PDB file of all heavy atoms in Angstrom:
ATOM      1  N   TYR A  32      18.460  -2.027  18.749  1.00 91.00           N
ATOM      2  CA  TYR A  32      18.854  -0.773  18.157  1.00 91.00           C
ATOM      3  C   TYR A  32      17.804   0.300  18.452  1.00 91.00           C
ATOM      4  O   TYR A  32      16.624   0.004  18.615  1.00 91.00           O
ATOM      5  CB  TYR A  32      18.973  -0.906  16.626  1.00 91.00           C
ATOM      6  CG  TYR A  32      20.224  -1.597  16.157  1.00 91.00           C
ATOM      7  CD1 TYR A  32      20.361  -2.979  16.273  1.00 91.00           C
ATOM      8  CD2 TYR A  32      21.263  -0.871  15.583  1.00 91.00           C
ATOM      9  CE1 TYR A  32      21.510  -3.612  15.821  1.00 91.00           C
ATOM     10  CE2 TYR A  32      22.409  -1.495  15.136  1.00 91.00           C
ATOM     11  CZ  TYR A  32      22.529  -2.864  15.260  1.00 91.00           C
ATOM     12  OH  TYR A  32      23.664  -3.483  14.817  1.00 91.00           O
ATOM     13  N   TYR A  34      16.007   3.416  16.644  1.00 94.00           N
ATOM     14  CA  TYR A  34      15.731   3.994  15.330  1.00 94.00           C
ATOM     15  C   TYR A  34      14.930   5.278  15.500  1.00 94.00           C
ATOM     16  O   TYR A  34      14.110   5.397  16.395  1.00 94.00           O
ATOM     17  CB  TYR A  34      14.864   3.045  14.479  1.00 94.00           C
ATOM     18  CG  TYR A  34      15.573   1.839  13.974  1.00 94.00           C
ATOM     19  CD1 TYR A  34      15.795   0.746  14.794  1.00 94.00           C
ATOM     20  CD2 TYR A  34      16.007   1.781  12.658  1.00 94.00           C
ATOM     21  CE1 TYR A  34      16.445  -0.369  14.318  1.00 94.00           C
ATOM     22  CE2 TYR A  34      16.657   0.669  12.175  1.00 94.00           C
ATOM     23  CZ  TYR A  34      16.870  -0.406  13.014  1.00 94.00           C
ATOM     24  OH  TYR A  34      17.518  -1.513  12.535  1.00 94.00           O
ATOM     25  N   TYR A  36      12.455   7.692  13.026  1.00 96.00           N
ATOM     26  CA  TYR A  36      11.760   8.014  11.784  1.00 96.00           C
ATOM     27  C   TYR A  36      10.976   9.301  12.014  1.00 96.00           C
ATOM     28  O   TYR A  36      10.712   9.686  13.159  1.00 96.00           O
ATOM     29  CB  TYR A  36      10.758   6.915  11.399  1.00 96.00           C
ATOM     30  CG  TYR A  36      11.359   5.698  10.757  1.00 96.00           C
ATOM     31  CD1 TYR A  36      12.014   4.739  11.523  1.00 96.00           C
ATOM     32  CD2 TYR A  36      11.266   5.495   9.382  1.00 96.00           C
ATOM     33  CE1 TYR A  36      12.565   3.612  10.930  1.00 96.00           C
ATOM     34  CE2 TYR A  36      11.805   4.366   8.777  1.00 96.00           C
ATOM     35  CZ  TYR A  36      12.454   3.438   9.561  1.00 96.00           C
ATOM     36  OH  TYR A  36      12.992   2.323   8.964  1.00 96.00           O
ATOM     37  N   GLN A  38       7.528  11.741  10.285  1.00 97.00           N
ATOM     38  CA  GLN A  38       6.409  11.778   9.364  1.00 97.00           C
ATOM     39  C   GLN A  38       5.963  13.232   9.225  1.00 97.00           C
ATOM     40  O   GLN A  38       5.501  13.827  10.208  1.00 97.00           O
ATOM     41  CB  GLN A  38       5.262  10.901   9.860  1.00 97.00           C
ATOM     42  CG  GLN A  38       4.125  10.777   8.866  1.00 97.00           C
ATOM     43  CD  GLN A  38       3.027   9.863   9.350  1.00 97.00           C
ATOM     44  OE1 GLN A  38       2.824   9.671  10.544  1.00 97.00           O
ATOM     45  NE2 GLN A  38       2.287   9.284   8.422  1.00 97.00           N
ATOM     46  N   SER A  41       1.207  13.624   7.316  1.00 80.00           N
ATOM     47  CA  SER A  41       0.493  12.565   6.600  1.00 80.00           C
ATOM     48  C   SER A  41       1.237  12.012   5.392  1.00 80.00           C
ATOM     49  O   SER A  41       0.682  11.235   4.637  1.00 80.00           O
ATOM     50  CB  SER A  41      -0.894  13.030   6.156  1.00 80.00           C
ATOM     51  OG  SER A  41      -1.684  13.275   7.278  1.00 80.00           O
ATOM     52  N   GLN A  42       2.495  12.400   5.208  1.00 93.00           N
ATOM     53  CA  GLN A  42       3.311  11.723   4.209  1.00 93.00           C
ATOM     54  C   GLN A  42       3.790  10.399   4.782  1.00 93.00           C
ATOM     55  O   GLN A  42       3.581  10.101   5.959  1.00 93.00           O
ATOM     56  CB  GLN A  42       4.508  12.585   3.823  1.00 93.00           C
ATOM     57  CG  GLN A  42       4.139  13.890   3.138  1.00 93.00           C
ATOM     58  CD  GLN A  42       5.380  14.700   2.762  1.00 93.00           C
ATOM     59  OE1 GLN A  42       6.475  14.166   2.645  1.00 93.00           O
ATOM     60  NE2 GLN A  42       5.193  15.992   2.589  1.00 93.00           N
ATOM     61  N   GLY A  43       4.445   9.584   3.971  1.00 95.00           N
ATOM     62  CA  GLY A  43       4.996   8.342   4.475  1.00 95.00           C
ATOM     63  C   GLY A  43       6.123   8.592   5.455  1.00 95.00           C
ATOM     64  O   GLY A  43       6.868   9.561   5.320  1.00 95.00           O
ATOM     65  N   PRO A  44       6.258   7.748   6.470  1.00 96.00           N
ATOM     66  CA  PRO A  44       7.383   7.901   7.397  1.00 96.00           C
ATOM     67  C   PRO A  44       8.716   7.871   6.656  1.00 96.00           C
ATOM     68  O   PRO A  44       8.858   7.188   5.641  1.00 96.00           O
ATOM     69  CB  PRO A  44       7.226   6.692   8.325  1.00 96.00           C
ATOM     70  CG  PRO A  44       5.759   6.368   8.279  1.00 96.00           C
ATOM     71  CD  PRO A  44       5.353   6.657   6.863  1.00 96.00           C
ATOM     72  N   TYR A  46      12.911   7.465   7.234  1.00 94.00           N
ATOM     73  CA  TYR A  46      14.014   7.054   8.110  1.00 94.00           C
ATOM     74  C   TYR A  46      14.952   8.226   8.342  1.00 94.00           C
ATOM     75  O   TYR A  46      15.245   9.002   7.419  1.00 94.00           O
ATOM     76  CB  TYR A  46      14.766   5.902   7.456  1.00 94.00           C
ATOM     77  CG  TYR A  46      16.106   5.587   8.067  1.00 94.00           C
ATOM     78  CD1 TYR A  46      16.208   4.790   9.195  1.00 94.00           C
ATOM     79  CD2 TYR A  46      17.279   6.107   7.523  1.00 94.00           C
ATOM     80  CE1 TYR A  46      17.441   4.494   9.757  1.00 94.00           C
ATOM     81  CE2 TYR A  46      18.510   5.817   8.075  1.00 94.00           C
ATOM     82  CZ  TYR A  46      18.575   5.014   9.186  1.00 94.00           C
ATOM     83  OH  TYR A  46      19.796   4.733   9.741  1.00 94.00           O
ATOM     84  N   ARG A  91      14.287  -1.765  18.247  1.00 86.00           N
ATOM     85  CA  ARG A  91      14.101  -3.057  17.599  1.00 86.00           C
ATOM     86  C   ARG A  91      15.337  -3.919  17.785  1.00 86.00           C
ATOM     87  O   ARG A  91      16.457  -3.411  17.768  1.00 86.00           O
ATOM     88  CB  ARG A  91      13.883  -2.857  16.101  1.00 86.00           C
ATOM     89  CG  ARG A  91      12.514  -2.428  15.741  1.00 86.00           C
ATOM     90  CD  ARG A  91      12.440  -1.981  14.315  1.00 86.00           C
ATOM     91  NE  ARG A  91      12.748  -2.975  13.316  1.00 86.00           N
ATOM     92  CZ  ARG A  91      11.949  -3.985  12.988  1.00 86.00           C
ATOM     93  NH1 ARG A  91      10.811  -4.163  13.603  1.00 86.00           N
ATOM     94  NH2 ARG A  91      12.285  -4.823  12.032  1.00 86.00           N
ATOM     95  N   PRO A  92      15.137  -5.245  17.907  1.00 82.00           N
ATOM     96  CA  PRO A  92      16.308  -6.118  18.030  1.00 82.00           C
ATOM     97  C   PRO A  92      17.047  -6.247  16.710  1.00 82.00           C
ATOM     98  O   PRO A  92      16.482  -6.049  15.646  1.00 82.00           O
ATOM     99  CB  PRO A  92      15.701  -7.462  18.450  1.00 82.00           C
ATOM    100  CG  PRO A  92      14.303  -7.410  17.935  1.00 82.00           C
ATOM    101  CD  PRO A  92      13.878  -5.968  17.985  1.00 82.00           C
ATOM    102  N   GLU A  93      18.316  -6.564  16.805  1.00 76.00           N
ATOM    103  CA  GLU A  93      19.093  -6.815  15.593  1.00 76.00           C
ATOM    104  C   GLU A  93      18.720  -8.176  15.040  1.00 76.00           C
ATOM    105  O   GLU A  93      17.899  -8.903  15.592  1.00 76.00           O
ATOM    106  CB  GLU A  93      20.580  -6.754  15.914  1.00 76.00           C
ATOM    107  CG  GLU A  93      21.049  -7.854  16.854  1.00 76.00           C
ATOM    108  CD  GLU A  93      22.538  -7.802  17.112  1.00 76.00           C
ATOM    109  OE1 GLU A  93      23.256  -7.109  16.376  1.00 76.00           O
ATOM    110  OE2 GLU A  93      22.983  -8.463  18.055  1.00 76.00           O
ATOM    111  N   GLY A  94      19.323  -8.514  13.927  1.00 71.00           N
ATOM    112  CA  GLY A  94      19.078  -9.825  13.353  1.00 71.00           C
ATOM    113  C   GLY A  94      18.006  -9.780  12.281  1.00 71.00           C
ATOM    114  O   GLY A  94      17.457  -8.739  11.955  1.00 71.00           O
ATOM    115  N   GLY A  95      17.722 -10.937  11.745  1.00 65.00           N
ATOM    116  CA  GLY A  95      16.750 -11.030  10.663  1.00 65.00           C
ATOM    117  C   GLY A  95      15.328 -11.039  11.174  1.00 65.00           C
ATOM    118  O   GLY A  95      15.051 -11.421  12.301  1.00 65.00           O
ATOM    119  N   GLY A  96      14.436 -10.614  10.322  1.00 72.00           N
ATOM    120  CA  GLY A  96      13.032 -10.636  10.691  1.00 72.00           C
ATOM    121  C   GLY A  96      12.236  -9.747   9.781  1.00 72.00           C
ATOM    122  O   GLY A  96      12.657  -8.622   9.508  1.00 72.00           O
ATOM    123  N   ALA A  97      11.110 -10.241   9.337  1.00 76.00           N
ATOM    124  CA  ALA A  97      10.278  -9.461   8.426  1.00 76.00           C
ATOM    125  C   ALA A  97       9.197  -8.714   9.172  1.00 76.00           C
ATOM    126  O   ALA A  97       8.317  -8.128   8.553  1.00 76.00           O
ATOM    127  CB  ALA A  97       9.651 -10.381   7.378  1.00 76.00           C
ATOM    128  N   ASP A  98       9.257  -8.725  10.490  1.00 80.00           N
ATOM    129  CA  ASP A  98       8.219  -8.038  11.255  1.00 80.00           C
ATOM    130  C   ASP A  98       8.293  -6.542  10.992  1.00 80.00           C
ATOM    131  O   ASP A  98       9.358  -5.989  10.724  1.00 80.00           O
ATOM    132  CB  ASP A  98       8.370  -8.324  12.751  1.00 80.00           C
ATOM    133  CG  ASP A  98       9.776  -8.104  13.264  1.00 80.00           C
ATOM    134  OD1 ASP A  98      10.734  -8.520  12.584  1.00 80.00           O
ATOM    135  OD2 ASP A  98       9.913  -7.490  14.326  1.00 80.00           O
ATOM    136  N   GLY A  99       7.147  -5.915  11.083  1.00 87.00           N
ATOM    137  CA  GLY A  99       7.083  -4.495  10.770  1.00 87.00           C
ATOM    138  C   GLY A  99       7.508  -3.630  11.938  1.00 87.00           C
ATOM    139  O   GLY A  99       7.744  -4.106  13.044  1.00 87.00           O
ATOM    140  N   LEU A 100       7.602  -2.335  11.650  1.00 89.00           N
ATOM    141  CA  LEU A 100       7.919  -1.358  12.683  1.00 89.00           C
ATOM    142  C   LEU A 100       6.696  -1.115  13.556  1.00 89.00           C
ATOM    143  O   LEU A 100       5.568  -1.109  13.061  1.00 89.00           O
ATOM    144  CB  LEU A 100       8.349  -0.043  12.035  1.00 89.00           C
ATOM    145  CG  LEU A 100       9.638  -0.092  11.216  1.00 89.00           C
ATOM    146  CD1 LEU A 100       9.738   1.116  10.301  1.00 89.00           C
ATOM    147  CD2 LEU A 100      10.839  -0.161  12.134  1.00 89.00           C
ATOM    148  N   PHE A 102       5.103   1.732  15.580  1.00 94.00           N
ATOM    149  CA  PHE A 102       5.131   3.167  15.803  1.00 94.00           C
ATOM    150  C   PHE A 102       4.324   3.519  17.042  1.00 94.00           C
ATOM    151  O   PHE A 102       3.237   3.002  17.247  1.00 94.00           O
ATOM    152  CB  PHE A 102       4.544   3.913  14.604  1.00 94.00           C
ATOM    153  CG  PHE A 102       5.396   3.880  13.364  1.00 94.00           C
ATOM    154  CD1 PHE A 102       5.300   2.818  12.473  1.00 94.00           C
ATOM    155  CD2 PHE A 102       6.286   4.896  13.087  1.00 94.00           C
ATOM    156  CE1 PHE A 102       6.082   2.781  11.324  1.00 94.00           C
ATOM    157  CE2 PHE A 102       7.074   4.871  11.946  1.00 94.00           C
ATOM    158  CZ  PHE A 102       6.973   3.800  11.064  1.00 94.00           C
TER     159      PHE A 102
ATOM    160  N   TYR B  33       6.038  -4.258   2.572  1.00 96.00           N
ATOM    161  CA  TYR B  33       5.169  -4.056   3.730  1.00 96.00           C
ATOM    162  C   TYR B  33       3.985  -3.174   3.370  1.00 96.00           C
ATOM    163  O   TYR B  33       4.081  -2.310   2.486  1.00 96.00           O
ATOM    164  CB  TYR B  33       5.948  -3.355   4.858  1.00 96.00           C
ATOM    165  CG  TYR B  33       7.189  -4.075   5.316  1.00 96.00           C
ATOM    166  CD1 TYR B  33       8.385  -3.964   4.606  1.00 96.00           C
ATOM    167  CD2 TYR B  33       7.180  -4.848   6.457  1.00 96.00           C
ATOM    168  CE1 TYR B  33       9.527  -4.623   5.013  1.00 96.00           C
ATOM    169  CE2 TYR B  33       8.320  -5.511   6.889  1.00 96.00           C
ATOM    170  CZ  TYR B  33       9.489  -5.391   6.159  1.00 96.00           C
ATOM    171  OH  TYR B  33      10.622  -6.047   6.578  1.00 96.00           O
ATOM    172  N   TYR B  35       1.290  -0.722   5.674  1.00 98.00           N
ATOM    173  CA  TYR B  35       0.898  -0.129   6.935  1.00 98.00           C
ATOM    174  C   TYR B  35      -0.353   0.700   6.687  1.00 98.00           C
ATOM    175  O   TYR B  35      -0.626   1.114   5.558  1.00 98.00           O
ATOM    176  CB  TYR B  35       1.991   0.819   7.465  1.00 98.00           C
ATOM    177  CG  TYR B  35       3.267   0.172   7.902  1.00 98.00           C
ATOM    178  CD1 TYR B  35       4.226  -0.251   6.973  1.00 98.00           C
ATOM    179  CD2 TYR B  35       3.561   0.007   9.250  1.00 98.00           C
ATOM    180  CE1 TYR B  35       5.418  -0.832   7.385  1.00 98.00           C
ATOM    181  CE2 TYR B  35       4.759  -0.560   9.673  1.00 98.00           C
ATOM    182  CZ  TYR B  35       5.668  -0.975   8.727  1.00 98.00           C
ATOM    183  OH  TYR B  35       6.851  -1.542   9.152  1.00 98.00           O
ATOM    184  N   GLN B  37      -2.768   4.080   8.507  1.00 97.00           N
ATOM    185  CA  GLN B  37      -2.860   5.117   9.539  1.00 97.00           C
ATOM    186  C   GLN B  37      -4.240   5.741   9.449  1.00 97.00           C
ATOM    187  O   GLN B  37      -4.535   6.492   8.506  1.00 97.00           O
ATOM    188  CB  GLN B  37      -1.776   6.180   9.351  1.00 97.00           C
ATOM    189  CG  GLN B  37      -1.730   7.207  10.473  1.00 97.00           C
ATOM    190  CD  GLN B  37      -0.574   8.166  10.320  1.00 97.00           C
ATOM    191  OE1 GLN B  37      -0.162   8.500   9.215  1.00 97.00           O
ATOM    192  NE2 GLN B  37      -0.025   8.630  11.439  1.00 97.00           N
ATOM    193  N   LYS B  42      -2.040   6.276  15.210  1.00 94.00           N
ATOM    194  CA  LYS B  42      -0.685   5.817  14.946  1.00 94.00           C
ATOM    195  C   LYS B  42      -0.590   5.074  13.618  1.00 94.00           C
ATOM    196  O   LYS B  42      -1.585   4.554  13.109  1.00 94.00           O
ATOM    197  CB  LYS B  42      -0.233   4.873  16.075  1.00 94.00           C
ATOM    198  CG  LYS B  42      -0.159   5.522  17.430  1.00 94.00           C
ATOM    199  CD  LYS B  42       0.419   4.590  18.468  1.00 94.00           C
ATOM    200  CE  LYS B  42      -0.549   3.556  18.934  1.00 94.00           C
ATOM    201  NZ  LYS B  42      -0.010   2.786  20.083  1.00 94.00           N
ATOM    202  N   VAL B  43       0.612   5.013  13.089  1.00 96.00           N
ATOM    203  CA  VAL B  43       0.890   4.160  11.938  1.00 96.00           C
ATOM    204  C   VAL B  43       0.909   2.711  12.431  1.00 96.00           C
ATOM    205  O   VAL B  43       1.601   2.400  13.401  1.00 96.00           O
ATOM    206  CB  VAL B  43       2.245   4.529  11.311  1.00 96.00           C
ATOM    207  CG1 VAL B  43       2.555   3.607  10.142  1.00 96.00           C
ATOM    208  CG2 VAL B  43       2.263   5.987  10.863  1.00 96.00           C
ATOM    209  N   PHE B  45       1.278  -1.468  11.533  1.00 95.00           N
ATOM    210  CA  PHE B  45       1.760  -2.518  10.635  1.00 95.00           C
ATOM    211  C   PHE B  45       0.602  -3.444  10.249  1.00 95.00           C
ATOM    212  O   PHE B  45      -0.185  -3.873  11.099  1.00 95.00           O
ATOM    213  CB  PHE B  45       2.869  -3.300  11.325  1.00 95.00           C
ATOM    214  CG  PHE B  45       3.227  -4.602  10.668  1.00 95.00           C
ATOM    215  CD1 PHE B  45       3.924  -4.623   9.470  1.00 95.00           C
ATOM    216  CD2 PHE B  45       2.880  -5.819  11.258  1.00 95.00           C
ATOM    217  CE1 PHE B  45       4.270  -5.824   8.865  1.00 95.00           C
ATOM    218  CE2 PHE B  45       3.225  -7.012  10.669  1.00 95.00           C
ATOM    219  CZ  PHE B  45       3.910  -7.022   9.472  1.00 95.00           C
ATOM    220  N   SER B  48       3.803  -8.129   6.102  1.00 94.00           N
ATOM    221  CA  SER B  48       5.075  -8.127   5.388  1.00 94.00           C
ATOM    222  C   SER B  48       5.081  -9.294   4.409  1.00 94.00           C
ATOM    223  O   SER B  48       4.395 -10.305   4.618  1.00 94.00           O
ATOM    224  CB  SER B  48       6.260  -8.212   6.345  1.00 94.00           C
ATOM    225  OG  SER B  48       6.211  -9.412   7.098  1.00 94.00           O
ATOM    226  N   SER B  55       5.084 -13.011   5.212  1.00 93.00           N
ATOM    227  CA  SER B  55       6.026 -13.382   6.263  1.00 93.00           C
ATOM    228  C   SER B  55       5.427 -13.162   7.646  1.00 93.00           C
ATOM    229  O   SER B  55       5.521 -14.010   8.522  1.00 93.00           O
ATOM    230  CB  SER B  55       7.310 -12.562   6.144  1.00 93.00           C
ATOM    231  OG  SER B  55       7.951 -12.826   4.922  1.00 93.00           O
ATOM    232  N   MET B  89      -5.084   6.246   5.644  1.00 98.00           N
ATOM    233  CA  MET B  89      -3.938   6.305   4.738  1.00 98.00           C
ATOM    234  C   MET B  89      -3.285   4.931   4.755  1.00 98.00           C
ATOM    235  O   MET B  89      -3.081   4.351   5.824  1.00 98.00           O
ATOM    236  CB  MET B  89      -2.926   7.346   5.200  1.00 98.00           C
ATOM    237  CG  MET B  89      -3.313   8.775   4.940  1.00 98.00           C
ATOM    238  SD  MET B  89      -3.258   9.219   3.209  1.00 98.00           S
ATOM    239  CE  MET B  89      -1.500   9.227   2.884  1.00 98.00           C
ATOM    240  N   PHE B  91       0.118   2.955   3.624  1.00 98.00           N
ATOM    241  CA  PHE B  91       1.501   3.157   3.206  1.00 98.00           C
ATOM    242  C   PHE B  91       2.140   1.833   2.833  1.00 98.00           C
ATOM    243  O   PHE B  91       2.040   0.849   3.576  1.00 98.00           O
ATOM    244  CB  PHE B  91       2.331   3.794   4.322  1.00 98.00           C
ATOM    245  CG  PHE B  91       1.889   5.184   4.710  1.00 98.00           C
ATOM    246  CD1 PHE B  91       1.229   5.398   5.909  1.00 98.00           C
ATOM    247  CD2 PHE B  91       2.152   6.259   3.883  1.00 98.00           C
ATOM    248  CE1 PHE B  91       0.827   6.672   6.274  1.00 98.00           C
ATOM    249  CE2 PHE B  91       1.757   7.540   4.233  1.00 98.00           C
ATOM    250  CZ  PHE B  91       1.084   7.742   5.441  1.00 98.00           C
ATOM    251  N   GLY B  98      16.277  -8.575   4.914  1.00 72.00           N
ATOM    252  CA  GLY B  98      15.425  -8.870   6.059  1.00 72.00           C
ATOM    253  C   GLY B  98      16.055  -8.518   7.382  1.00 72.00           C
ATOM    254  O   GLY B  98      15.436  -8.694   8.422  1.00 72.00           O
ATOM    255  N   PHE B  99      17.293  -8.020   7.355  1.00 72.00           N
ATOM    256  CA  PHE B  99      17.902  -7.648   8.624  1.00 72.00           C
ATOM    257  C   PHE B  99      17.181  -6.439   9.196  1.00 72.00           C
ATOM    258  O   PHE B  99      16.885  -5.479   8.491  1.00 72.00           O
ATOM    259  CB  PHE B  99      19.388  -7.334   8.441  1.00 72.00           C
ATOM    260  CG  PHE B  99      20.190  -8.562   8.167  1.00 72.00           C
ATOM    261  CD1 PHE B  99      20.657  -8.836   6.895  1.00 72.00           C
ATOM    262  CD2 PHE B  99      20.487  -9.462   9.181  1.00 72.00           C
ATOM    263  CE1 PHE B  99      21.384  -9.981   6.637  1.00 72.00           C
ATOM    264  CE2 PHE B  99      21.211 -10.597   8.940  1.00 72.00           C
ATOM    265  CZ  PHE B  99      21.661 -10.871   7.661  1.00 72.00           C
ATOM    266  N   ARG B 100      16.928  -6.507  10.497  1.00 68.00           N
ATOM    267  CA  ARG B 100      16.155  -5.435  11.122  1.00 68.00           C
ATOM    268  C   ARG B 100      16.895  -4.109  11.092  1.00 68.00           C
ATOM    269  O   ARG B 100      16.275  -3.059  11.048  1.00 68.00           O
ATOM    270  CB  ARG B 100      15.791  -5.814  12.546  1.00 68.00           C
ATOM    271  CG  ARG B 100      14.806  -6.970  12.627  1.00 68.00           C
ATOM    272  CD  ARG B 100      14.191  -7.055  14.004  1.00 68.00           C
ATOM    273  NE  ARG B 100      13.235  -8.145  14.116  1.00 68.00           N
ATOM    274  CZ  ARG B 100      13.559  -9.354  14.519  1.00 68.00           C
ATOM    275  NH1 ARG B 100      14.803  -9.643  14.837  1.00 68.00           N
ATOM    276  NH2 ARG B 100      12.628 -10.297  14.608  1.00 68.00           N
ATOM    277  N   ASN B 101      18.228  -4.151  11.122  1.00 69.00           N
ATOM    278  CA  ASN B 101      18.942  -2.884  11.149  1.00 69.00           C
ATOM    279  C   ASN B 101      19.208  -2.336   9.750  1.00 69.00           C
ATOM    280  O   ASN B 101      20.297  -1.849   9.451  1.00 69.00           O
ATOM    281  CB  ASN B 101      20.246  -3.004  11.952  1.00 69.00           C
ATOM    282  CG  ASN B 101      21.181  -4.039  11.382  1.00 69.00           C
ATOM    283  OD1 ASN B 101      20.772  -4.904  10.627  1.00 69.00           O
ATOM    284  ND2 ASN B 101      22.450  -3.939  11.721  1.00 69.00           N
ATOM    285  N   GLU B 103      17.144   0.235   6.901  1.00 87.00           N
ATOM    286  CA  GLU B 103      16.028   1.158   6.913  1.00 87.00           C
ATOM    287  C   GLU B 103      14.942   0.719   5.955  1.00 87.00           C
ATOM    288  O   GLU B 103      15.198   0.096   4.925  1.00 87.00           O
ATOM    289  CB  GLU B 103      16.510   2.565   6.547  1.00 87.00           C
ATOM    290  CG  GLU B 103      17.081   2.649   5.147  1.00 87.00           C
ATOM    291  CD  GLU B 103      17.660   4.005   4.846  1.00 87.00           C
ATOM    292  OE1 GLU B 103      16.883   4.884   4.435  1.00 87.00           O
ATOM    293  OE2 GLU B 103      18.885   4.175   4.985  1.00 87.00           O
ATOM    294  N   ALA B 104      13.717   1.044   6.304  1.00 90.00           N
ATOM    295  CA  ALA B 104      12.577   0.834   5.434  1.00 90.00           C
ATOM    296  C   ALA B 104      12.277   2.132   4.699  1.00 90.00           C
ATOM    297  O   ALA B 104      12.366   3.215   5.266  1.00 90.00           O
ATOM    298  CB  ALA B 104      11.358   0.409   6.252  1.00 90.00           C
ATOM    299  N   PHE B 106       9.441   4.217   2.693  1.00 96.00           N
ATOM    300  CA  PHE B 106       7.990   4.303   2.603  1.00 96.00           C
ATOM    301  C   PHE B 106       7.563   5.109   1.382  1.00 96.00           C
ATOM    302  O   PHE B 106       8.237   6.064   0.987  1.00 96.00           O
ATOM    303  CB  PHE B 106       7.420   4.991   3.852  1.00 96.00           C
ATOM    304  CG  PHE B 106       7.406   4.130   5.066  1.00 96.00           C
ATOM    305  CD1 PHE B 106       8.556   3.911   5.800  1.00 96.00           C
ATOM    306  CD2 PHE B 106       6.222   3.530   5.499  1.00 96.00           C
ATOM    307  CE1 PHE B 106       8.537   3.110   6.932  1.00 96.00           C
ATOM    308  CE2 PHE B 106       6.200   2.747   6.634  1.00 96.00           C
ATOM    309  CZ  PHE B 106       7.356   2.524   7.354  1.00 96.00           C
ATOM    310  N   GLY B 107       6.419   4.721   0.817  1.00 97.00           N
ATOM    311  CA  GLY B 107       5.796   5.536  -0.211  1.00 97.00           C
ATOM    312  C   GLY B 107       5.007   6.674   0.418  1.00 97.00           C
ATOM    313  O   GLY B 107       4.930   6.789   1.645  1.00 97.00           O
ATOM    314  N   GLN B 108       4.420   7.490  -0.429  1.00 97.00           N
ATOM    315  CA  GLN B 108       3.699   8.664   0.039  1.00 97.00           C
ATOM    316  C   GLN B 108       2.263   8.363   0.446  1.00 97.00           C
ATOM    317  O   GLN B 108       1.569   9.232   0.966  1.00 97.00           O
ATOM    318  CB  GLN B 108       3.716   9.754  -1.025  1.00 97.00           C
ATOM    319  CG  GLN B 108       5.094  10.343  -1.233  1.00 97.00           C
ATOM    320  CD  GLN B 108       5.690  10.842   0.064  1.00 97.00           C
ATOM    321  OE1 GLN B 108       5.213  11.789   0.661  1.00 97.00           O
ATOM    322  NE2 GLN B 108       6.752  10.190   0.541  1.00 97.00           N
TER     323      GLN B 108
END
Side-chain angles (χ1 to χ4, degrees):
Chain A
Y32 283 75
Y34 288 79
Y36 281 77
Q38 186 178 26
S41 295
Q42 296 181 21
Y46 166 83
R91 281 168 62 73
E93 65 178 345
D98 50 317
L100 296 163
F102 290 86
Chain B
Y33 303 81
Y35 292 78
Q37 186 175 32
K42 297 186 283 188
V43 178
F45 166 73
S48 61
S55 298
M89 284 289 289
F91 296 107
F99 289 105
R100 292 196 180 92
N101 59 341
E103 63 185 275
F106 285 78
Q108 291 306 293

